[in-house]
Amino acid sequence: MIAHLDIDAFYASVELQRHPEARGLPLVVAGSGPRAVVTTASYEARRYGIESAMPAARARMLCPQAIFLAPDFAAYRAKSREVWEIVRRRFAVVGQVGIDEAYLDLSDVERPLPALRAVVAEVHEKTGLVVSVGVGPSRLVAKTASAEFKPAAFVAMGREQASAHFAAHPARTLQGVGPKTAERLTGIGIRTIGELQVAPAELLAGRFGERQARLLRARAHFHDDSPVETERIAKSRSSEVTFPRDVSDRSELEATMIDLARELADGLRTRALRARTVAVKIRLDDWTTVTRARTLACFVDDAATIGGTALELLRAYAPARPVRLLGVRVAAFEDEHAPAPVEGQLALPV
Amino acid sequence: MLRVTLTADSLLADLQTAARIASSRSAVQALSGVLVSAAGDYLELQATDMEVSLRVRLSASVEEPGEVVLPARLLLDIVRSLPGASVTLAERSDHHDVEIASGNAVFAVRTLRRDDFPRLPEPPTGGVQLAAQAFVDTIARVARSASRDDTRPVLTGIMVHASGGELRMVATDSYRLSVKTTALDEAVSDSFEANVPARALQELSRIVAQSEADHVTIGRLENQVVFAVHGAGGPATISSRLIDGQFPSYQQLLPESVEHELRVDREELVSVTRRISLLAQKNAPLRLAFAEGQLQVSAQTPDIGEAHETLPVPFHGEAFEIGFNPEFFRDGLESVDSPEVLLRLTSPLRPGLIESADESGFVYLVMPIRLGT
């Protein structure tokens, strides 16, 4: 599960904090040159049709009474750091994609929605900023959802739900469909996401080529498997599976564990990571959830060692009830350098 | 013109090790490759980054002998994804490539320059022979203390010492020091001492685990050490440059006597440490406050919170508090494999010792963090 967090009208909100007298009035942050564009506009200003990236001159025409401020990026960066620092303290994987938005990988968070509500509340309390949250099985669903329901959005959607909900939206709503693509789609009579969903494959392929046609269709159905990219190395990686029905058969559990380990090892290799701690997660039919971990003598990235260790841990635990979920995780990556010497750390005279 | 067929699984297992050893950032392209040679009834893989090298043999059906250098990473990825149980490698010199075929899948991969790939040392004849399991178990107990800081190369190694019926390994990153002495069932024929890069020993551990070999043979050639194992799959050798420079003389670093010696249940102390360490973030130390009959473990991180937990310990005397890097402290406890540990301490600024209480020959020294008030 993935969450997309987006700070509502970020620059404008920061400016409103610094200029409380502008509260409730249309506020536009824009440069002052002749070619300047609108960096952001408060929700009040957006009611006049002012949008980000619109020429500032046009914004002045649409709403001459709006308050225009020059952007102060140093202030925005400082505020942005405050926000993401709070988020990072609560979530391990934060892929920040801009000054005001980030993705979280929630696969390892036990109760993600309460955790997200708590972080939104903390950000609001400490910084006065409002964060919109979209949650979904992919980045695409998460981001589309948060964008659709902001400001102050808090919405979780499944893939099918998203496909149905956004069917009437313009194709441009989809991330990855830019103005050019949208124009070409219009050229073959496709305006909405719903129309793209049912567009004949040959028609799309004829206009965009096999590959991009397939991508477009997948996007229209909200299929997206891009992982959350972190600018920092994730602290752990895991793969897990919830069985369609609870499983007691040991050989089936073990075979699943081997598959999970292989999947995980492949992921490690593509990222050139090696880990030293292998852990398993087992959830029984009564929701008892246990984890067992072992730290190895050396760093590993191969399915045989990870799977073998995971199997030993599974066998040692010997689930007494049918198993609902099985997972394997690795942590303690090689690239994490030895912790930097701490202030006051004494050293041997070597 | 190399042409050879073997099982994909056995090739995969050894290629994984080879690909890890092959250099990932050398200017010489051939060093990112694996040298594949076929002769007799075996295939040999060689990889090196000029510091640590691997040679491993696996049985294969050789139609024509030959040798080629192939990009290690790519070859690994290909072999991992092969559809069939067996794989055939066939060199095509007119194309400067090797055809890799399995099931209905065929890959043709360009070879790298053979001339750029260095000659690796031959496996030693003779040398010191040691029980493989004892050797890798000993590595596992000390490897965490080896430094990962390349600016102090001498500390990135593990000092290996074998003589008589005893094997000893020592590693230190200057903040902690691990010493493990293992009694050998059979005395070694000749004594051996060298500072071996921790990386080489960790790769050796993996090879031993994979091969289920009984023995490791250690040989020396000038500034090189060569470890040979003879496992189920075939013989494998890891050779490594030895680390120059004087390894610290660890005996002088271990305190001869201490003020307090406490026997503590290991499992309990490990879980307390893990729990309380959750609140030792941002480089905050783990605090151990000893008082009559008890130990309070605590941690606090500014702006985050604090945690403490008390457990009974047989402490007598004047109360004191000592701070440690939580990770270092836990590493020490986790490296002990007896049910009880001995905590040996003197005062807040003197080294702490964590030892196995069953006299299994493990000592972990950890330097304290000077606590503020």
Side-chain angles (χ1 to χ4, degrees), chain A residues 89 266 269 274 276 295 297-302 336 338-339 341-350, chain B residues 16 20 73 80 140 144 148 152 172 174-175 202-203 206 248 253 283 304 325 327 349 365 367-370:
Chain A
R89 258 183 251 141
D266 283 348
R269 268 203 221 88
R274 293 203 285 156
R276 213 180 61 176
T295 296
C298 49
F299 292 96
V300 300
D301 66 355
D302 65 293
E336 292 167 8
V342 174
E343 192 188 327
Q345 170 74 61
L346 307 182
L348 290 164
V350 293
Chain B
Q16 285 175 342
R20 263 198 320 280
R73 198 81 223 173
R80 184 185 299 124
R144 294 188 207 193
R148 279 170 275 171
R152 296 289 311 276
T172 179
S174 86
Y175 307 116
Q202 285 170 341
E203 292 301 344
R206 298 171 50 87
L253 299 170
N283 293 341
I304 304 274
N325 176 319
E327 199 177 322
L349 300 182
L365 177 154
M367 292 302 286
I369 290 174
R370 189 190 298 270

Side-chain angles (χ1 to χ4, degrees), chain B residues 38-347:
Chain B
D41 58 355
Y42 64 84
L43 182 84
E44 187 173 68
L45 303 178
Q46 297 184 35
T48 182
D49 65 356
M50 300 306 282
E51 177 179 88
V52 178
S53 310
L54 167 81
R55 283 176 86 123
V56 58
R57 273 186 193 182
L58 46 166
S59 46
S61 114
V62 178
E63 281 173 54
E64 281 177 59
E67 58 179 28
V68 289
V69 180
L70 288 167
R73 198 81 223 173
L74 180 60
L75 184 59
L76 172 61
D77 287 340
I78 290 171
V79 172
R80 184 185 299 124
S81 67
L82 290 179
S86 75
V87 52
T88 300
L89 307 181
E91 185 186 0
R92 306 188 302 177
S93 69
D94 44 339
H95 290 82
H96 301 286
D97 68 7
V98 169
E99 224 178 53
I100 303 162
S102 175
N104 292 326
V106 180
F107 298 78
V109 176
R110 281 294 180 90
T111 54
L112 303 177
R113 280 173 57 89
R114 168 67 188 91
D115 294 346
D116 291 348
F117 197 92
R119 294 274 159 201
L120 300 184
E122 289 293 324
T125 48
V128 181
Q129 206 175 59
L130 280 167
Q133 201 53 48
F135 198 77
V136 300
D137 285 348
T138 308
I139 295 170
R141 306 289 288 283
V142 304
R144 294 188 207 193
S145 285
S147 174
R148 279 170 275 171
D149 179 0
D150 290 330
T151 61
R152 296 289 311 276
V154 75
L155 301 185
T156 60
I158 294 177
M159 190 66 183
V160 180
H161 175 92
S163 105
E166 212 174 70
L167 168 69
R168 183 180 309 118
M169 294 193 198
V170 185
T172 179
D173 61 6
S174 86
Y175 307 116
R176 61 260 180 84
L177 172 110
S178 298
V179 183
K180 166 72 177 139
T181 309
T182 304
L184 300 172
D185 291 338
E186 307 160 51
V188 293
S189 51
D190 201 357
S191 66
F192 172 89
E193 186 170 81
N195 186 7
V196 184
R199 220 184 111 223
L201 291 174
Q202 285 170 341
E203 292 301 344
L204 177 69
S205 299
R206 298 171 50 87
I207 289 176
V208 168
Q210 238 170 48
S211 71
E212 296 165 4
D214 291 335
H215 286 90
V216 177
T217 306
I218 313 174
R220 276 188 79 153
L221 316 147
E222 293 166 44
N223 62 346
Q224 290 264 323
V225 61
V226 185
F227 299 96
V229 297
H230 205 120
T237 58
I238 288 269
S239 54
S240 171
R241 192 181 53 74
L242 291 175
I243 299 175
D244 292 333
Q246 186 67 41
F247 193 82
S249 90
Y250 73 94
Q251 295 95 332
Q252 290 170 16
L253 299 170
L254 293 173
E256 279 173 13
S257 63
V258 293
E259 203 66 37
H260 303 282
E261 181 167 306
L262 309 168
R263 201 173 261 268
V264 186
D265 183 81
R266 187 188 78 99
E267 202 57 49
E268 186 182 11
L269 190 53
V270 167
S271 15
V272 171
T273 301
R274 281 210 188 114
R275 272 195 289 279
I276 302 304
S277 298
L278 292 173
L279 273 299
Q281 304 177 10
K282 300 181 178 168
N283 293 341
L286 187 72
R287 292 162 173 265
L288 277 66
F290 293 91
E292 197 63 35
Q294 67 170 45
L295 161 62
Q296 186 188 59
V297 182
S298 69
Q300 59 202 66
T301 311
D303 299 333
I304 304 274
E306 52 192 297
H308 59 86
E309 182 167 356
T310 303
L311 65 163
V313 296
F315 180 89
H316 305 290
E318 198 180 324
F320 77 96
E321 187 176 36
I322 186 167
F324 291 113
N325 176 319
E327 199 177 322
F328 293 170
F329 189 70
R330 209 179 70 200
D331 270 355
L333 294 175
E334 286 178 347
S335 298
V336 171
D337 66 0
S338 58
E340 288 187 313
V341 297
L342 286 185
L343 282 185
R344 306 180 67 217
L345 299 159
T346 296
S347 64

